[in-house]
Amino acid sequence: MAVPLSTGSPAGRPAPRRRWRPGAPAVLLLPFFVLFTVCTLVPIGNAVHLSLYSEKRSGLGFGGVERVFSGLGNYTAALGDPAFRDGFLNLALYCLLYIPLMTGLSLLLALLLDSTLARAKRFFQLALFLPHAVPGIIAALIWMYLYTPGVSPVIGALDAAGVQADILGTPVPAVVNIALWEWTGYNLIIFFAALQAIPREVLEASVVDGAGPLRTALSIKVPLIRPSLAMVGLFTVIGSLQLFTEPMILHGAAPGVVTTWTPNMYAYTAAFERNDYGLAAASSVLLALAAAALSFLVTRFSGGRSGSGEGSAKASAKASARRSGKGGHA
């Protein structure tokens, strides 16, 4: 009779442990840290260094340019400029309109696609995602054409109907409309993927318990995808603070209305129109600090709420399952 060969250690001796090599994780993480340093840390450090200096010209402007250390002078100049402060006010109004509308519309469409009554789900996913596939500058040019009086067929139809619409006169709703067209489909896919990951037995238990589609959506589905809601909220806040393309394109159509509408446009104007790179760097650093602070607040606020919401949803689902199980056994 053949005796099987033993692959383990002899009796009474512990199996040899594999030695942990600290160099392996370092080798795998090295490309990330190299790219992070070159593409993130070095530009940030250069911007901070540049923001501490100003350029002064001697004589009547015919002399050479001299770089002098100004300390926090560029920061005080940016904060003291009404155009820079108004940019943050415009962003606040933009976020108050855009974030609730975009999140609510994306979540509503995702819930409709996830319902059992929905048909042609793949087609509507693709149709709603296609606007995001259009580059932002192309989308802004399309909407600028639709917003410009005299060439826009939409405004022409409204004028023929006796409705006077000055869309470019109020740039905040115009930019919000462009952003909604671009990003609703993208966030819809995120919410729909999160809804598809919910265990089907949880939803079946709620149906057996007598919950309707609306109650299931609000009490079960939405609390279980709160981490996705928090992630979308975080990315939306960061993206809103970096708003540049849409108002910059509209500035070409209505330069007297859309000027330094956002802090990014203020930095662009300071750098490439006034050649004041120190002021542009200082305003960029201030914008980065504001984005970091808001990102921390959104993460801190949504972290606790998402965990409690997920726990309450799971508890209600389990209670529903227990009740339905008792009714079935009875």
Side-chain angles (χ1 to χ4, degrees):
M1 182 177 64
V3 180
L5 296 177
S6 176
T7 57
S9 60
R13 294 184 182 179
R17 297 181 178 179
R18 293 184 177 180
R19 296 183 61 184
W20 179 70
R21 299 179 180 179
V27 171
L28 296 175
L29 292 174
L30 182 61
F32 164 76
F33 283 110
V34 170
L35 291 175
F36 181 73
T37 302
V38 173
C39 300
T40 303
L41 296 182
V42 172
I44 290 176
N46 185 40
V48 173
H49 174 75
L50 192 63
S51 67
L52 300 177
Y53 290 86
S54 298
E55 294 183 353
K56 295 188 179 298
R57 298 181 181 271
S58 59
L60 298 176
F62 298 101
V65 178
E66 181 184 3
R67 290 187 63 189
V68 296
F69 180 78
S70 59
L72 299 178
N74 289 320
Y75 292 94
T76 56
L79 293 174
D81 195 338
F84 184 70
R85 298 195 306 268
D86 292 343
F88 280 98
L89 294 178
N90 292 329
L91 278 183
L93 180 58
Y94 169 82
C95 291
L96 288 177
L97 292 175
Y98 169 64
I99 294 178
L101 287 175
M102 187 277 301
T103 306
L105 185 59
S106 300
L107 183 59
L108 176 62
L109 293 174
L111 290 172
L112 290 175
L113 287 178
D114 188 62
S115 65
T116 57
L117 300 178
R119 296 291 182 268
K121 296 183 180 181
R122 299 297 181 186
F123 169 77
F124 285 107
Q125 288 179 45
L126 179 61
L128 293 170
F129 183 77
L130 277 180
H132 179 72
V134 178
I137 188 170
I138 302 300
L141 288 172
I142 293 173
W143 282 102
M144 183 187 70
Y145 167 76
L146 295 176
Y147 288 161
T148 304
V151 297
S152 171
V154 177
I155 297 182
L158 292 176
D159 291 339
V163 179
Q164 299 295 327
D166 185 13
I167 300 178
L168 293 177
T170 53
V172 176
V175 176
V176 168
N177 180 59
I178 298 175
L180 284 174
W181 187 79
E182 288 182 287
W183 291 97
T184 299
Y186 176 82
N187 295 304
L188 158 70
I189 298 300
I190 296 177
F191 291 148
F192 183 75
L195 290 171
Q196 290 293 299
I198 297 176
R200 296 296 102 179
E201 58 269 15
V202 175
L203 302 179
E204 292 172 359
S206 64
V207 172
V208 172
D209 195 44
L214 182 60
R215 180 64 182 273
T216 301
L218 297 179
S219 300
I220 304 297
K221 293 182 178 181
V222 173
L224 286 177
I225 65 169
R226 276 190 179 174
S228 297
L229 288 169
M231 181 187 68
V232 168
L234 176 62
F235 289 165
T236 303
V237 168
I238 296 175
S240 299
L241 290 177
Q242 298 175 356
L243 184 66
F244 176 77
T245 303
E246 293 82 1
M248 194 66 188
I249 296 297
L250 294 182
H251 171 71
V257 177
V258 185
T259 53
T260 53
W261 198 72
T262 65
N264 258 344
M265 291 182 64
Y266 179 87
Y268 177 86
T269 303
F272 299 106
E273 293 184 9
R274 291 185 282 172
N275 295 324
D276 193 345
Y277 297 103
L279 180 62
S283 59
S284 300
V285 171
L286 290 173
L287 180 60
L289 292 176
L294 285 178
S295 301
F296 174 77
L297 292 177
V298 171
T299 306
R300 187 70 179 271
F301 177 76
S302 61
R305 293 292 298 273
S306 63
S308 61
E310 185 176 353
S312 62
K314 289 183 177 180
S316 62
K318 289 180 180 179
S320 174
R322 286 197 299 267
R323 287 194 295 269
S324 61
K326 289 180 181 179
H329 287 298

